[in-house]
Amino acid sequence: KDDEQTKCLALRAMNGVFISRPRVVLAAEQLGIISYVISERAPPSVQIESLRCWRDILLAEEIRIESGAAKKKMQAQKAISLSKRISGDQDGDSCISGSVLTKHADRLYELTLSKDEKVRQMIIDLIGHLLRQGLINPMATVPH
């Protein structure tokens, strides 16, 4: 649809799904949804909403990890050995959203030059969260 408001509402709905089921992000990536909502073809309101949604996803994941929910879920799985729990690499959901987003890092950097002030504010906020969580290289952000 060409209706911006409908697209923004759809993004908010998808945001809830992405937070509760991180693997769905991969399906959205394969369908090209993520590329579209941050592309130049998307209206500024859709770009702003998508950046807000990504920020919320990253914050929800950070809260999940820091609260210990990720650790409890991993400990509840009997098939995971103690050595694998120590290495921490069995919590695959924790990196899906961040990985998909870092794949689009070049486009995110381009958005810092957007003509729309709100887009620039949201992208700076999102890049700040990506930096704090160690998902992007700080040196890559210096030119932007």
Side-chain angles (χ1 to χ4, degrees), residues 4 13 61 105 121 128 135:
E4 291 179 33
E61 188 57 33
Q121 289 172 345
L135 295 172

Side-chain angles (χ1 to χ4, degrees), residues 7 11 14 18 24-42 46 50 54 100 103-104 107:
K7 289 178 181 179
L11 281 170
M14 289 171 56
F18 291 164
V24 177
V25 173
L26 295 174
E29 171 66 15
Q30 288 178 334
L31 293 171
I33 295 169
I34 294 166
S35 297
Y36 170 74
V37 296
I38 61 172
S39 72
E40 292 176 5
R41 298 180 320 230
V46 173
S50 68
W54 278 114
V100 168
K103 177 183 170 193
H104 298 283
R107 176 63 187 147

